[in-house]
PDB file of all heavy atoms in Angstrom:
ATOM      1  N   GLU E1251     197.101  88.144  -3.166  1.00 95.00           N
ATOM      2  CA  GLU E1251     197.543  87.590  -1.890  1.00 95.00           C
ATOM      3  C   GLU E1251     198.911  86.923  -2.035  1.00 95.00           C
ATOM      4  O   GLU E1251     199.812  87.102  -1.222  1.00 95.00           O
ATOM      5  CB  GLU E1251     196.505  86.557  -1.450  1.00 95.00           C
ATOM      6  CG  GLU E1251     196.532  86.235   0.020  1.00 95.00           C
ATOM      7  CD  GLU E1251     195.347  85.352   0.368  1.00 95.00           C
ATOM      8  OE1 GLU E1251     194.198  85.716   0.011  1.00 95.00           O
ATOM      9  OE2 GLU E1251     195.596  84.296   0.936  1.00 95.00           O
ATOM     10  N   LYS E1252     199.040  86.194  -3.134  1.00 95.00           N
ATOM     11  CA  LYS E1252     200.311  85.508  -3.412  1.00 95.00           C
ATOM     12  C   LYS E1252     201.447  86.534  -3.532  1.00 95.00           C
ATOM     13  O   LYS E1252     202.528  86.346  -2.976  1.00 95.00           O
ATOM     14  CB  LYS E1252     200.172  84.697  -4.712  1.00 95.00           C
ATOM     15  CG  LYS E1252     201.435  83.989  -5.152  1.00 95.00           C
ATOM     16  CD  LYS E1252     201.658  82.738  -4.324  1.00 95.00           C
ATOM     17  CE  LYS E1252     203.029  82.147  -4.606  1.00 95.00           C
ATOM     18  NZ  LYS E1252     203.389  81.082  -3.695  1.00 95.00           N
ATOM     19  N   ILE E1253     201.167  87.604  -4.255  1.00 95.00           N
ATOM     20  CA  ILE E1253     202.214  88.616  -4.457  1.00 95.00           C
ATOM     21  C   ILE E1253     202.548  89.270  -3.118  1.00 95.00           C
ATOM     22  O   ILE E1253     203.709  89.551  -2.830  1.00 95.00           O
ATOM     23  CB  ILE E1253     201.766  89.678  -5.489  1.00 95.00           C
ATOM     24  CG1 ILE E1253     201.510  89.010  -6.843  1.00 95.00           C
ATOM     25  CG2 ILE E1253     202.806  90.783  -5.636  1.00 95.00           C
ATOM     26  CD1 ILE E1253     202.670  88.264  -7.425  1.00 95.00           C
ATOM     27  N   HIS E1254     201.531  89.458  -2.313  1.00 95.00           N
ATOM     28  CA  HIS E1254     201.797  90.001  -0.979  1.00 95.00           C
ATOM     29  C   HIS E1254     202.741  89.084  -0.217  1.00 95.00           C
ATOM     30  O   HIS E1254     203.650  89.530   0.466  1.00 95.00           O
ATOM     31  CB  HIS E1254     200.490  90.179  -0.198  1.00 95.00           C
ATOM     32  CG  HIS E1254     199.933  91.571  -0.333  1.00 95.00           C
ATOM     33  ND1 HIS E1254     200.472  92.634   0.340  1.00 95.00           N
ATOM     34  CD2 HIS E1254     198.917  92.057  -1.084  1.00 95.00           C
ATOM     35  CE1 HIS E1254     199.800  93.730   0.013  1.00 95.00           C
ATOM     36  NE2 HIS E1254     198.848  93.404  -0.849  1.00 95.00           N
ATOM     37  N   SER E1255     202.506  87.776  -0.358  1.00 94.00           N
ATOM     38  CA  SER E1255     203.353  86.837   0.382  1.00 94.00           C
ATOM     39  C   SER E1255     204.765  86.825  -0.177  1.00 94.00           C
ATOM     40  O   SER E1255     205.719  86.548   0.535  1.00 94.00           O
ATOM     41  CB  SER E1255     202.745  85.442   0.385  1.00 94.00           C
ATOM     42  OG  SER E1255     202.910  84.847  -0.880  1.00 94.00           O
ATOM     43  N   LEU E1256     204.895  87.121  -1.472  1.00 93.00           N
ATOM     44  CA  LEU E1256     206.243  87.128  -2.067  1.00 93.00           C
ATOM     45  C   LEU E1256     206.956  88.448  -1.817  1.00 93.00           C
ATOM     46  O   LEU E1256     208.172  88.530  -1.882  1.00 93.00           O
ATOM     47  CB  LEU E1256     206.161  86.882  -3.582  1.00 93.00           C
ATOM     48  CG  LEU E1256     205.730  85.484  -4.006  1.00 93.00           C
ATOM     49  CD1 LEU E1256     205.503  85.438  -5.512  1.00 93.00           C
ATOM     50  CD2 LEU E1256     206.772  84.458  -3.610  1.00 93.00           C
ATOM     51  N   GLY E1257     206.169  89.488  -1.598  1.00 92.00           N
ATOM     52  CA  GLY E1257     206.768  90.798  -1.373  1.00 92.00           C
ATOM     53  C   GLY E1257     207.172  91.461  -2.670  1.00 92.00           C
ATOM     54  O   GLY E1257     206.799  91.033  -3.756  1.00 92.00           O
ATOM     55  N   LYS E1258     207.948  92.489  -2.532  1.00 91.00           N
ATOM     56  CA  LYS E1258     208.297  93.306  -3.676  1.00 91.00           C
ATOM     57  C   LYS E1258     209.191  92.540  -4.638  1.00 91.00           C
ATOM     58  O   LYS E1258     210.007  91.715  -4.250  1.00 91.00           O
ATOM     59  CB  LYS E1258     209.004  94.568  -3.166  1.00 91.00           C
ATOM     60  CG  LYS E1258     209.064  95.644  -4.181  1.00 91.00           C
ATOM     61  CD  LYS E1258     208.759  97.033  -3.665  1.00 91.00           C
ATOM     62  CE  LYS E1258     208.706  98.009  -4.821  1.00 91.00           C
ATOM     63  NZ  LYS E1258     207.670  97.696  -5.788  1.00 91.00           N
ATOM     64  N   ASN E1259     209.004  92.841  -5.908  1.00 88.00           N
ATOM     65  CA  ASN E1259     209.828  92.221  -6.942  1.00 88.00           C
ATOM     66  C   ASN E1259     211.199  92.873  -6.953  1.00 88.00           C
ATOM     67  O   ASN E1259     211.355  93.996  -7.406  1.00 88.00           O
ATOM     68  CB  ASN E1259     209.125  92.400  -8.295  1.00 88.00           C
ATOM     69  CG  ASN E1259     210.085  92.365  -9.453  1.00 88.00           C
ATOM     70  OD1 ASN E1259     211.071  91.636  -9.450  1.00 88.00           O
ATOM     71  ND2 ASN E1259     209.793  93.170 -10.463  1.00 88.00           N
ATOM     72  N   VAL E1260     212.187  92.164  -6.447  1.00 85.00           N
ATOM     73  CA  VAL E1260     213.523  92.767  -6.465  1.00 85.00           C
ATOM     74  C   VAL E1260     214.412  92.121  -7.515  1.00 85.00           C
ATOM     75  O   VAL E1260     215.377  92.710  -7.959  1.00 85.00           O
ATOM     76  CB  VAL E1260     214.228  92.650  -5.093  1.00 85.00           C
ATOM     77  CG1 VAL E1260     213.655  93.625  -4.102  1.00 85.00           C
ATOM     78  CG2 VAL E1260     214.157  91.238  -4.567  1.00 85.00           C
TER      79      VAL E1260
END
Side-chain angles (χ1 to χ4, degrees):
Chain E
E1251 200 172 309
K1252 177 77 189 171
I1253 299 302
H1254 266 284
S1255 74
L1256 291 172
K1258 196 137 186 61
N1259 155 35
V1260 285

